[in-house]
């Protein structure tokens, strides 16, 4: 079984490279096509290389608000009609905003790709942002913030720790925006954002599925090719200064349980062919977290029973600085201080003793399998391509990721822990739970899905 799995993995990586087409239209719009003929469906995604990291102080959240406004109509497509036309064609659509990008997608039968491109090209150039619809939609976003951040104590801890760990880089601002900025946002803020960044030369079209690359490129030229390129604002590096010592905050918020979040500054992938540390950090995260046999779960939850959960995370692909994270919830009767001491002990053991070849092989298999299973989905094939190219990495970096992970050694994992999981790079947040006082029910805002 293991040999067959390895052969399948090799075939998958090889077919991914062979079936990829990457071209740039005359107006600067990039078009990437990944052919996958297993089913007569496709996913089409338009990625704009702009996210919350491009916002200004006082306008946090505008990237996400503009994402909402992109569904509110153009000169020829009335508000709400975009989604209705996609649904009528048997498809589904949505969008997402991150620190690095804003992306819009449709999943449909392969013969409806032209409709997807027609609608996307129209709203790339002809969006209508009315005062009336903006006023309603910014209220929706504010309610989203209340539901997904303000009412979620762990989300509050994460938001406040990001603002503490990062002093300069705009990653310190929340994607959804600070509430004060949302309350004072204007229609003109959204119009300016759209005019500044929504241009073909700041966009990448990614199409994956049962399509032919030459036909997709021809459709892209027909629908997007006539849109003129525009001068884009200068992007300054905004490099984060080196942290000079450990940082700590305590967050008081209504909650049932305490919570601990620890983050270390860490590098991200820049030169995919030469960099080794980001791949080692990915394996390190797998050593610590991911399943019942991982170190944090096995030691803290099962053996010491000092935590009810514990996990680690790291994302190697980003336009800005990276962070390696560990979070945990103490078991009843256990303190956050005792939990942090136990985490530090586990990390110190890893730095001192490293990992065995058997543990390395097991973790690699899990991390690589997760990567392969993700690529089995058309949506995530396109998603990974979009993330990589928007971060400035070539498609070859994605195709070569598995081989790079396979090449990580136990010594490289230990060295990554020794170099990067040090106190001078560390910021710690503790949730101090406050009483769960009964809160008056808020009126429901149309367009927001409320939790039951």
């Amino acid at each position: 079984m293991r040999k067959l799995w390895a052969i399948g993995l090799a075939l998958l990586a090889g077919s991914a490279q062979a079936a990829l087409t990457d071209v740039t239209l005359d107006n600067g719009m990039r078009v990437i096509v990944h052919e996958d003929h297993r089913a007569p469906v496709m996913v089409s995604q338009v990625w704009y290389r702009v996210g919350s990291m491009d916002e200004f102080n006082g306008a946090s959240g505008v990237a996400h608000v503009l994402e909402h406004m992109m569904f509110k109509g153009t000169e020829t497509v009335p508000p709400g009609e975009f989604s209705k036309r996609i649904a009528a064609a048997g498809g589904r659509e949505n969008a997402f905003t991150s620190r690095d990008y804003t992306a819009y997608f449709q999943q449909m039968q392969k013969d409806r790709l032209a409709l997807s491109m027609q609608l996307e090209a129209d709203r790339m150039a002809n969006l209508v942002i009315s005062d009336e619809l903006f006023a309603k939609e910014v209220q929706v976003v504010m309610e989203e913030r209340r539901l997904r951040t303000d009412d979620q104590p762990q989300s509050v801890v994460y938001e406040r720790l990001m603002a503490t760990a990062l002093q300069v880089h705009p990653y310190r601002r929340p994607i959804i925006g600070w509430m004060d900025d949302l309350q004072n946002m204007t229609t003109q803020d959204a119009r300016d954002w759209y005019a500044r960044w929504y241009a073909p030369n700041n966009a990448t079209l990614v199409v994956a599925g049962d399509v032919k690359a030459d036909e997709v490129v021809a459709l892209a030229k027909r629908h997007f090719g006539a849109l003129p390129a525009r001068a884009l604002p200068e992007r300054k590096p905004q490099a984060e200064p080196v942290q000079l010592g450990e940082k700590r905050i305590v967050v008081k918020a209504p909650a049932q349980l305490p919570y601990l979040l620890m983050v270390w500054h860490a590098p991200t992938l820049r030169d995919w062919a030469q960099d080794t540390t980001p791949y080692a950090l990915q394996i390190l995260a797998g050593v610590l977290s991911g399943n019942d046999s991982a170190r944090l779960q096995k030691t803290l939850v099962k053996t010491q029973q000092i935590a009810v959960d514990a996990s680690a995370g790291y994302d190697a692909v980003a336009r800005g600085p990276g962070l390696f994270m560990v979070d945990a919830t103490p078991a009843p009767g256990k303190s956050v201080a005792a939990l942090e001491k136990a985490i530090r002990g586990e990390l110190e053991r890893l730095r001192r003793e490293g990992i065995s070849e058997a543990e390395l092989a097991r973790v690699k298999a899990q991390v690589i399998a997760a990567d392969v299973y993700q690529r089995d989905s058309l949506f995530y094939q396109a998603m990974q391509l979009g993330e990589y190219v928007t971060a400035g990495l070539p498609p070859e970096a994605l195709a070569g990721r598995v081989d790079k992970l396979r090449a990580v050694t136990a010594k490289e994992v230990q060295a990554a822990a020794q170099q990067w999981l040090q106190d001078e790079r560390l910021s710690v947040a503790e949730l101090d739970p406050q009483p769960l006082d009964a809160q008056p029910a808020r009126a429901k805002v149309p367009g927001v899905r409320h939790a039951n």
Side-chain angles (χ1 to χ4, degrees), residues 287-347:
V287 169
L288 293 172
S289 177
N291 56 55
D292 289 344
S293 62
R295 292 197 177 196
L296 294 181
Q297 184 75 11
K298 184 177 179 180
T299 303
L300 303 183
V301 179
K302 289 184 173 182
T303 303
Q304 298 182 17
Q305 297 184 350
I306 198 171
V308 294
D309 60 58
S311 63
Y314 165 74
D315 190 353
V317 178
R319 287 171 56 198
L323 292 171
F324 191 99
M325 301 189 180
V326 171
D327 73 326
T329 302
K334 305 296 184 179
S335 69
V336 170
L339 176 57
E340 182 182 341
K341 183 178 180 180
I343 292 172
R344 285 177 173 274
E346 194 59 34
L347 295 179

Side-chain angles (χ1 to χ4, degrees), residues 236-254:
K236 296 188 177 181
Q238 302 184 84
E240 179 68 15
V242 175
Q243 187 168 317
L244 300 179
E246 184 180 307
K247 301 179 184 180
R248 286 185 169 271
I249 60 169
V250 174
V251 177
K252 295 178 180 288

Side-chain angles (χ1 to χ4, degrees), residues 382-446:
M383 181 86 181
Q384 288 181 321
L385 282 166
E387 285 181 333
Y388 268 64
V389 300
T390 303
L393 297 166
E396 292 80 12
L398 178 57
R401 180 172 181 261
V402 167
D403 287 339
K404 288 292 186 179
L405 290 170
R406 277 206 193 101
V408 173
T409 67
K411 286 186 177 181
E412 287 173 336
V413 175
Q414 183 180 15
Q418 291 171 340
Q419 180 177 0
W420 297 101
L421 302 189
Q422 296 292 335
D423 285 355
E424 62 266 23
R425 305 181 190 277
L426 172 64
S427 298
V428 182
E430 172 189 345
L431 172 61
D432 181 4
Q434 303 300 297
L436 293 167
D437 298 329
Q439 298 292 324
R442 294 194 298 266
K444 291 188 175 182
V445 175

Side-chain angles (χ1 to χ4, degrees), residues 155-182:
S155 297
V156 174
V157 170
Y158 173 80
E159 182 178 86
R160 298 305 173 92
L161 186 56
M162 289 296 290
T164 301
L166 296 163
Q167 290 182 286
V168 171
H169 197 275
Y171 275 8
R172 70 192 313 273
R173 294 190 291 263
I175 296 169
I176 201 164
W178 297 112
M179 184 62 84
D180 184 66
D181 288 348
L182 294 172

Side-chain angles (χ1 to χ4, degrees), residues 228-294:
R230 294 203 305 272
L232 299 172
E234 179 186 2
R235 300 183 197 259
K236 296 188 177 181
Q238 302 184 84
E240 179 68 15
V242 175
Q243 187 168 317
L244 300 179
E246 184 180 307
K247 301 179 184 180
R248 286 185 169 271
I249 60 169
V250 174
V251 177
K252 295 178 180 288
Q256 291 182 327
L257 296 171
Y259 174 67
L260 177 68
L261 178 59
M262 308 170 72
V263 302
W264 292 261
H265 290 279
T268 53
L269 198 59
R270 290 293 178 260
D271 184 341
W272 77 272
Q274 299 297 323
D275 289 348
T276 57
T277 300
Y279 301 107
L281 287 170
Q282 287 178 271
I283 298 298
L284 175 59
V287 169
L288 293 172
S289 177
N291 56 55
D292 289 344
S293 62

Side-chain angles (χ1 to χ4, degrees), residues 9-22:
L9 177 60
L11 289 173
L12 177 64
S15 64
Q17 288 176 297
L20 195 71
T21 298
D22 184 357

